[in-house]
């Protein structure tokens, strides 16, 4: 079964337990495309269930909060400890700051609670296939944020610091490929790709794939596979 056809394992994390159950039920019935492997109602429970169930995609709501812990904290944990789980953020408000924080935290897709269930299903499938799910307004937010990232990326910390292979990995990330797809394209292991990304992040002063794509955009290396919802 190809990546685009395989059943996607999904975790839903939202403080609204009833809403999560309704979402899970709808996804489970949707053309046999999805398998909901867990529902979580707190940040701690969300990360614990990710570790146990190993979902392909985690849908995280910004309503997920317990004291100082939030859904954005779960995003950072996933990025650092469970990179094979792709996060999607379900936002109450699509304001500029929240969208940028979500993408910079590691989200690969952004949805509003006002979006349709069909949009949710398409978003999950899209990010699972290695693309980014964002609409035109959200892409504009990211492009407008570029000047604020550039001071952290000094001119001496540019693409010229990367080896040819690291530049190739950066190009493939900017095209929307996941680690496993990059590994296939370069005929290396996923572990090797992870090592390349670690060195690239260190050299460029970025901390997430989205920031790396922003850096590539700032150098006029535009991702070809970014999906516009």
């Amino acid at each position: 079964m190809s990546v685009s056809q395989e059943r996607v394992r999904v975790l839903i994390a939202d403080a609204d337990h009833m809403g999560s159950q309704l979402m899970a039920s709808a996804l489970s019935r949707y053309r046999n495309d999805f398998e909901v492997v867990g529902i979580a109602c707190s940040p701690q429970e969300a990360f614990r269930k990710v570790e146990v169930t190993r979902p392909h995609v985690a849908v995280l709501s910004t309503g997920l909060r317990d004291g100082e812990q939030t859904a954005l904290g779960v995003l950072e944990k996933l990025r650092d400890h469970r990179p094979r789980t792709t996060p999607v953020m379900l936002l109450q408000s699509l304001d500029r700051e929240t969208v940028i924080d979500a993408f910079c935290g590691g989200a690969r897709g952004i949805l509003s609670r006002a979006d349709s269930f069909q949009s949710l299903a398409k978003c999950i499938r899209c990010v699972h296939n290695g693309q980014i799910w964002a609409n035109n307004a959200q892409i504009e937010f990211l492009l407008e944020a570029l000047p604020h990232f550039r001071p952290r990326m000094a001119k001496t910390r540019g693409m010229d610091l990367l080896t040819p292979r690291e530049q190739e990995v950066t190009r493939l990330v900017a095209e929307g490929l996941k680690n496993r797809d990059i590994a296939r394209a370069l005929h290396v292991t996923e572990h090797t790709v992870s090592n390349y990304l670690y060195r690239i992040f260190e050299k460029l002063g970025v901390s997430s794939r989205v920031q790396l794509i922003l850096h590539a955009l700032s150098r006029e290396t535009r991702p070809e596979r970014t999906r516009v919802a």
Side-chain angles (χ1 to χ4, degrees), residues 23-85:
M23 196 185 307
S25 177
L27 283 173
S28 297
R29 296 194 307 268
Y30 190 76
R31 300 191 312 193
N32 202 36
D33 279 1
F34 307 103
E35 177 189 359
V36 178
V37 297
I39 292 175
C41 297
S42 72
Q44 299 96 321
E45 186 183 16
F47 188 70
R48 179 176 58 80
K49 287 195 173 181
V50 166
E51 291 197 304
V52 172
T53 63
R54 305 295 175 94
H56 296 127
V57 176
V59 179
L60 308 172
S61 167
T62 48
L64 201 67
R65 179 181 292 273
D66 184 6
E68 294 183 357
Q69 296 192 40
T70 66
L72 287 175
V74 178
L75 264 184
E76 294 175 0
K77 278 190 173 183
L78 292 180
R79 181 188 67 205
D80 295 338
H81 302 289
R82 288 288 175 262
R84 291 190 179 185
T85 294

